[in-house]
Amino acid sequence: MRAVYRGLAVAAAVAAAAVAVVVVLPSEPDGVVAGPVTAPPAAQPSSGPSAEASASASASSSASPSETVTPAAPAAQVTPTPGTSLAPGYTAMEALYADPRVPELTAKVKRMRLPAPSRRVTKDRRSGLAVPKLPKPWKTYGPAPFTTRQVLPRLRGGTVRGMFVTCPLPIMEQKSPRDSALLAARWTLNHHPKGARITWLASQPVRHGWMLVYRVTYGKRSSRAAVVVVDGGMSKPGLAFVTVPDAQRKQWSDIARVASGVRVLG
């Protein structure tokens, strides 16, 4: 019996040793005992934008609560230039003020005396305007791309001639008729020779709108011009634009006729 008990004790000791081995050894042949988690080594910086974004995210996540990460300075805005689309973040009026071809319209620019409006009119139903039908030598001409057009005879050897047109306002309407007229005057430089610049001659309100008269200088030559922006009850205000070159200065008086004669159709 003593031999039996001695054999059972030996078997129990062997079983305990086997259990201890199972606990200490990994569960699989290639298992790794877990240790402290450490940050991976920093990757070498790359010149690509994705690397910059990753570096920024890593700096933000590794900063302690007492540290602050200074954000990158915002990119500088680009100043709008004449003849281009608006730079991001700029309004139409800010682009106007940045245009060296168009000076500031100050209180020094005075009003002008206007003659009695003409009884003979041309009707522009798209713009909701009735405008003067100018006497000879003016004549009606094919309107496209405008809605009405009157012109002076082309001079021999001349590249510009007098023109009087109407159309719905071709630029974005502003909160005030004065600002809409300013943008319209700037737009009319597209219909003058290259290098044209504006000098203001008159500025004043008219019924349902605003009128501007100005001189346009290009090289040694110039033109007199005017824009009248009037709300004719349509989806957009109507624009009347007249320009007469110095070679046809006898018709400069017709600019005042246009300015005084634009009214709402009805």
Side-chain angles (χ1 to χ4, degrees), residues 77 79-80 86 89-99 183:
Q77 288 184 321
T79 303
L86 290 182
Y90 277 83
T91 66
M93 293 305 296
E94 287 171 335
L96 171 74
Y97 298 143
D99 193 334
L183 288 179

Side-chain angles (χ1 to χ4, degrees), residues 111-133:
R111 298 188 179 200
M112 66 179 293
R113 302 183 74 180
L114 299 177
S118 173
R119 293 184 178 180
R120 301 180 64 223
V121 299
T122 295
K123 298 179 179 180
D124 179 357
R125 300 190 183 281
R126 280 191 59 199
S127 303
L129 302 181
V131 299
K133 186 174 180 62

